[in-house]
Amino acid sequence: MPNMDALIQLLQTVHYGNSLVVKVRDFKEPRDEAVIVVHFPQVAKPDVLFTRSLKTGFWSIEPLKLPRAYLPLSDAEAELGVNKDDSENNTAYTAVDGLATRIQQCAVWIEAYPICPANGYNSADARGTGLVIDPQRGLILCSSRLAKNPTSNISITFGDTRVSATLAYIHPLYPFAFVKYDPAMVDYAIPALELSSTGTRLDVGDSVSIVTDTEAGLICSTAAVSERCLLSTYACKWCLEQRFFNIEQFSLSPSPAPAGSNIGLVSSNGTIQGLWMCLPTCLHCNTVYKNVGIDASLIWPSLKQLQTSENIPTALRVLDVEFNHQSLVKARALGVSDSYIQRLKKLPLAAQSILNVNRILRVRSPETPSLEVGDIVLQVNNCHVKSIDEVASFDCKEVELLIVRKGQEMTVTIPTAPLCDPNIRKLVCWAGVYLQEPFHTVLHQSVRLASNVYMFMYDAGTPAMAESYHDNMFIVEMGEHAISTLDDVVKVAKLLKDPKQAEFNAEVAANKEFKSGTIPGRDVKIRAVLINGDEIVKSIRTNDHYYPAWQLTRGPRIDDSWVYKEI
């Protein structure tokens, strides 16, 4: 590449959604060369060209327009491997034997390229395997580890074919997600994998065949369910990693080798009976990964919703408590009647479940009825509780519970609360600060919900960094304007925008001389509340030239992509 003009000319020929093979050379060691693949996602921040005025030192900014249409890769490009990043990890068509052969055509390589930070996660890429669960509708089941950042552009590799996709749905309670692609983009038939129906689950002693993703490819092995217990992942107060709880998991013996994205647990006839996953327990204090299995019965309801509706499923409702299993002996000592204990003993071992409240996730106001630590839940809406699934989530605004509290049986009506939805549809960046609705872990760690606008990160070199801002706080006021929603932020950002921005950029391009401090922007007072409840007041000098405000929005449909718009 002889110069920047030649590079710009080349970039203007690359279509979004495709990749480019680039040969690079280390500037310190010119003899060290490498070939890398650069992927151009479907949705991204605008590409711009910065040109510096040698007279004033300012940079003018102009859009660098790249073709937006998606074009299939040519045969020559495919042979170069531009559509197969990390091809050594692409296990979709690795030659394997036995049961894995039946599902190898349903296993795909997923790559996620975030547009910007979201839900507490930065813009790091994510890669792993998924299973095509409904080829007619283009639905792929994968671990939620591939969907931590909901703003991600998704690409799917089917053998030698790479297509763009959307992140259709992230389950707010269970650690799985769905990706959707256009089946018309794949020119060969993909067999459907059958998912075990609602109500079926693996019990202790059941023998299963598991297909795992390893460096050697897809490997099929046999194991037995050795234990069933409640899953609980730990996160310290500094960690924004989502905690998982109120989920019944199973363990396997022998335990399959750990892998970042094991693709599924199947029976001998190819029916998916659950997922085998690797979940982090804490990102701050010496990250520990935990291998767990979850039943397909937890996946089935979400799959049906996606198959029958074009919209992203609505948020679930919960009791805002974490449950724990209790032995029958201890439950009797805490006040559960002998008649109830005897009734449980007549049920299968897996249904002999006593659940008590182990932790309150969000403290409610004193006048709102709520569960207390130590409460034992016996019935929900006059139905005996047989598993954690019956109290994990609800689709109603209140439930009637028969509980044992301090040795006494009583009936209480408890309001349910909406579970924080990771499928966000709006994000705002103002003065280099990323703002969104509070996400899962923030709600559990915050003393109070001061507003629905949460600042969780800012870019290096931005006005926020210059003012040493906290990066975990609720914004309640901007420039004397009250803030409670992201729509409020957009309205205020428009009011605070310097109208001389376009004129300033044109004058920089024309090498006009300026006095110091003439970059478009305003001094803005910010009032915020930290997650520990402390209130702070800060000031910030915006920079509308180098750091203009913008927003990402997404519609309610699972096919809707993110749309970038400058405010």
Side-chain angles (χ1 to χ4, degrees), residues 409-424:
E409 278 194 10
M410 62 182 68
T411 299
V412 294
T413 300
I414 305 295
T416 59
L419 183 62
C420 184
D421 192 355
N423 301 281
I424 62 172

Side-chain angles (χ1 to χ4, degrees), residues 400-516:
E400 184 179 273
L401 304 176
L402 175 64
I403 66 172
V404 175
R405 177 178 294 171
K406 298 178 181 178
Q408 301 295 320
E409 278 194 10
M410 62 182 68
T411 299
V412 294
T413 300
I414 305 295
T416 59
L419 183 62
C420 184
D421 192 355
N423 301 281
I424 62 172
R425 299 179 190 172
K426 192 168 192 173
L427 185 145
V428 177
C429 184
W430 176 79
V433 170
Y434 291 98
L435 305 169
Q436 68 164 86
E437 292 182 350
F439 41 90
H440 186 91
T441 49
V442 171
L443 294 179
H444 290 171
Q445 296 176 8
S446 302
V447 174
R448 62 188 176 97
L449 182 63
S451 80
N452 280 314
V453 178
Y454 186 72
M455 170 187 167
F456 64 94
M457 195 174 293
Y458 53 78
D459 284 332
T462 59
M465 183 177 183
E467 296 294 336
S468 301
Y469 262 55
H470 294 271
D471 56 358
N472 290 293
M473 59 187 184
F474 300 93
I475 305 297
V476 296
E477 187 179 295
M478 291 173 54
E480 307 296 336
H481 299 276
I483 299 294
S484 61
T485 67
L486 290 173
D487 290 337
D488 295 336
V489 174
V490 173
K491 292 177 183 178
V492 174
K494 289 179 179 178
L495 294 175
L496 297 175
K497 187 175 182 179
D498 195 320
K500 298 180 180 180
Q501 159 58 22
E503 178 184 348
F504 176 82
N505 191 58
E507 291 174 344
V508 171
N511 286 323
K512 179 180 177 180
E513 293 187 8
F514 297 94
K515 294 181 179 180
S516 176

Side-chain angles (χ1 to χ4, degrees), residues 65-375:
K65 294 184 178 180
L66 296 176
R68 288 281 177 180
Y70 176 84
L71 292 181
L73 296 171
S74 66
D75 293 339
E77 289 173 321
E79 290 178 4
L80 285 172
V82 300
N83 63 332
K84 292 189 289 185
D85 292 353
D86 294 332
S87 58
E88 69 275 8
N89 293 323
N90 182 0
T91 60
Y93 284 88
T94 304
V96 289
D97 298 324
L99 180 62
T101 305
R102 298 189 57 189
I103 68 168
Q104 64 178 359
Q105 291 185 343
C106 299
V108 296
W109 184 246
I110 302 174
E111 295 169 279
Y113 305 96
I115 302 171
C116 66
N119 282 3
Y121 297 103
N122 59 24
S123 300
D125 300 343
R127 295 173 177 83
T129 49
L131 285 171
V132 179
I133 204 71
D134 187 339
Q136 290 185 340
R137 295 175 177 82
L139 291 174
I140 299 173
L141 176 66
C142 66
S143 167
S144 61
R145 287 187 62 190
L146 298 178
K148 290 180 178 180
N149 189 321
T151 70
S152 297
N153 288 284
I154 306 292
S155 68
I156 310 296
T157 302
F158 298 83
D160 291 332
T161 302
R162 182 178 187 171
V163 300
S164 295
T166 59
L167 185 52
Y169 179 60
I170 309 169
H171 200 284
L173 184 61
Y174 304 129
F176 63 83
F178 289 93
V179 170
K180 191 175 187 301
Y181 68 94
D182 183 0
M185 298 293 292
V186 182
D187 58 1
Y188 56 86
I190 300 175
L193 283 179
E194 183 183 351
L195 189 69
S196 294
S197 60
T198 304
T200 62
R201 69 178 215 167
L202 295 168
D203 289 320
V204 174
D206 285 352
S207 178
V208 297
S209 296
I210 181 170
V211 178
T212 54
D213 175 19
T214 69
E215 294 182 357
L218 299 182
I219 295 179
C220 182
S221 58
T222 59
V225 178
S226 59
E227 181 187 20
R228 295 192 68 96
C229 61
L230 291 186
L231 167 66
S232 181
T233 58
Y234 170 77
C236 70
K237 66 179 182 178
W238 302 108
C239 183
L240 295 179
E241 182 73 27
Q242 179 176 351
R243 292 192 65 229
F244 294 103
F245 46 84
N246 294 345
I247 306 172
E248 188 166 341
Q249 64 153 351
F250 58 83
S251 302
L252 296 177
S253 179
S255 181
S261 340
N262 288 331
I263 66 169
L265 185 69
V266 295
S267 68
S268 57
N269 61 7
T271 301
I272 297 179
Q273 294 178 304
L275 290 183
W276 185 250
M277 313 178 124
C278 186
L279 301 178
T281 58
C282 183
L283 286 181
H284 183 77
C285 301
N286 300 321
T287 303
V288 177
Y289 289 89
K290 188 175 186 179
N291 294 309
V292 301
I294 63 170
D295 293 311
S297 58
L298 302 180
I299 304 166
W300 182 262
S302 299
L303 176 61
K304 280 301 180 185
Q305 284 184 289
L306 295 175
Q307 290 173 329
T308 56
S309 174
E310 296 181 348
N311 292 334
I312 299 172
T314 56
L316 301 176
R317 301 185 71 87
V318 295
L319 292 172
D320 271 343
V321 299
E322 181 178 354
F323 288 99
N324 193 17
H325 272 145
Q326 197 66 265
S327 68
L328 297 185
V329 173
K330 191 169 184 179
R332 180 186 282 112
L334 293 174
V336 178
S337 65
D338 288 337
S339 60
Y340 191 87
I341 297 293
Q342 293 303 319
R343 187 186 301 117
L344 283 180
K345 287 183 176 181
K346 296 177 182 179
L347 299 175
L349 184 62
Q352 295 181 16
S353 178
I354 292 286
L355 296 173
N356 74 315
V357 177
N358 183 52
R359 189 167 70 97
I360 305 298
L361 301 179
R362 274 190 288 180
V363 179
R364 301 183 179 184
S365 58
E367 61 271 12
T368 302
S370 60
L371 291 174
E372 299 177 4
V373 173
D375 286 351

Side-chain angles (χ1 to χ4, degrees), residues 2-13:
N3 52 44
M4 284 293 295
D5 291 336
L7 176 61
I8 293 170
Q9 185 176 2
L10 173 64
L11 292 177
Q12 289 176 326
T13 67

